[in-house]
Amino acid sequence: MGTDDPSVPPHAQSAVVANEPHSRANPRTRARRSAYGVIHENTRHTTRFTVIGNHLAQHPELSLVAIALAVHIQSLPSNAPVDIRTLAERFPEGRDRIAAGLRELEVHGYLRRVRERTPAGRIVTRTISCNQPKAPRHQESGHAPVPVVPPGVVDPPNCNTPGKCVAPADSAPEEPTSRRKPREPRRKHPLPPVPQPAHPSPALLRTATDLLAGLHHQDPRLLLSACDTAHLAPGVAAWLQRDVSPAAVHHALTTDLPPEGPRRPAALLAHRLTAQLPPPPPFRAPTEPSPVRHPLRNCDGCDRGIRAPEPGALCRDCRPAASAHA
């Protein structure tokens, strides 16, 4: 009763074991499934190719849109436009998906955006693409990497070379420090100062406030808060006091904006109000009143024609004789 019958056929495997992709009990299933994998048919490129690292092509956290955007940007020549509008015109994805992909590349270091000021005074955004953002310095200099043992890590007992032993397989990898500490919110810098009017008045400040509040009707990116409007209103009033029409002020604040839009609209408007402030109007001296011309009359003494304010006046020749008789 306790002996096994060798003539009995082996029992069928359970469904759990049969459906397990990496089961050792069914090597034929594992071999058959691996036959459906990709087969590379490669041809060596000699011209017009871009080298892309596997750290980007097989990145575990980047989305497919972000990886495709990084590959496309790295294949472009220098100074090629890579703003959101240009990429949206090139690819069928919308601006929201492209903007989200670019933000992913910025977070993982494959893309950097810096703002520069041109000689003409405009603020433009420069995009820097990094093909290997986390490249160690020893790869650039050609030296072999030097292992660094973190503090508090103890080598296994059977390690012959301290600092070079591999950690046990059951030890969990330590999370990066960047994931532990949340990114601190960026501090908002105060707005630049604006010109102040020489003689502020409530009516002038009201006109300046209405002008600033209506900027977003032409460009929705110029939507200002109440605090920003109160800060910029004296600068607009200073322009209006210098014989500048509201239409001219509106044109100076809304033209030649950056293609990707201002990051801080209030800071850009404050800079323009200060940098492009027109000169004061020329001084106009008050004109002297013209002399009064009296009507033409006849002198009562000699009947000569003279100009006098009232009838019966005498000319300058008859006045001495009339004074002597008086």
Side-chain angles (χ1 to χ4, degrees):
M1 296 297 293
T3 60
D4 296 335
D5 189 358
S7 62
V8 177
H11 297 284
Q13 297 179 357
S14 62
V16 177
V17 178
N19 294 333
E20 189 173 343
H22 299 288
S23 175
R24 296 182 179 179
N26 195 354
R28 294 183 180 180
T29 304
R30 185 171 67 253
R32 184 172 64 254
R33 291 188 178 182
S34 63
Y36 292 103
V38 64
I39 299 177
H40 295 281
E41 185 175 337
N42 298 331
T43 303
R44 183 179 180 84
H45 292 281
T46 57
T47 58
R48 296 181 57 83
F49 65 92
T50 304
V51 179
I52 302 296
N54 285 342
H55 56 84
L56 172 61
Q58 301 178 7
H59 201 283
E61 298 180 6
L62 288 177
S63 64
L64 191 60
V65 175
I67 296 176
L69 284 174
V71 173
H72 173 71
I73 292 174
Q74 292 186 18
S75 66
L76 294 177
S78 299
N79 297 324
V82 290
D83 55 285
I84 298 177
R85 181 181 303 176
T86 303
L87 294 175
E89 294 176 356
R90 170 64 176 80
F91 297 103
E93 285 78 9
R95 293 189 178 185
D96 295 339
R97 297 184 63 185
I98 291 177
L102 294 178
R103 286 193 295 269
E104 290 184 46
L105 296 178
E106 283 187 294
V107 171
H108 291 85
Y110 289 95
L111 209 67
R112 296 201 312 270
R113 299 178 186 177
V114 295
R115 302 180 72 84
E116 299 179 357
R117 188 183 303 278
T118 61
R122 293 185 55 187
I123 299 177
V124 298
T125 301
R126 299 290 186 187
T127 303
I128 302 175
S129 175
C130 304
N131 64 342
Q132 194 170 0
K134 298 181 180 180
R137 294 185 177 181
H138 64 79
Q139 294 185 5
E140 301 176 0
S141 58
H143 300 287
V146 179
V148 179
V149 181
V153 176
V154 181
D155 295 321
N158 57 352
C159 178
N160 297 326
T161 307
K164 294 186 178 181
C165 295
V166 182
D170 56 351
S171 61
E174 188 177 0
E175 294 185 5
T177 309
S178 59
R179 295 185 181 179
R180 291 181 178 179
K181 297 180 180 179
R183 182 177 296 179
E184 297 181 359
R186 183 179 298 177
R187 296 181 179 179
K188 191 175 181 181
H189 299 283
L191 293 176
V194 296
Q196 299 296 323
H199 304 286
S201 63
L204 190 65
L205 292 176
R206 191 179 306 110
T207 304
T209 303
D210 295 342
L211 189 148
L212 292 170
L215 293 180
H216 72 279
H217 293 296
Q218 180 176 353
D219 195 334
R221 299 174 298 180
L222 296 179
L223 181 62
L224 303 174
S225 63
C227 182
D228 295 340
T229 304
H231 179 81
L232 299 174
V236 177
W239 281 54
L240 298 176
Q241 276 192 348
R242 302 196 173 195
D243 292 346
V244 182
S245 63
V249 179
H250 187 278
H251 182 268
L253 297 179
T254 56
T255 56
D256 295 335
L257 294 177
E260 67 278 3
R263 181 172 298 181
R264 292 188 65 190
L268 176 62
L269 298 181
H271 169 73
R272 289 193 173 186
L273 289 173
T274 304
Q276 303 179 11
L277 181 65
F283 176 75
R284 298 186 180 92
T287 57
E288 297 181 358
S290 58
V292 180
R293 296 178 61 87
H294 299 290
L296 188 63
R297 305 179 186 277
N298 293 333
C299 177
D300 287 352
C302 61
D303 203 19
R304 181 189 299 176
I306 59 172
R307 292 186 178 274
E310 298 177 357
L314 300 175
C315 64
R316 58 184 178 181
D317 295 336
C318 298
R319 290 173 192 166
S323 300
H325 289 296

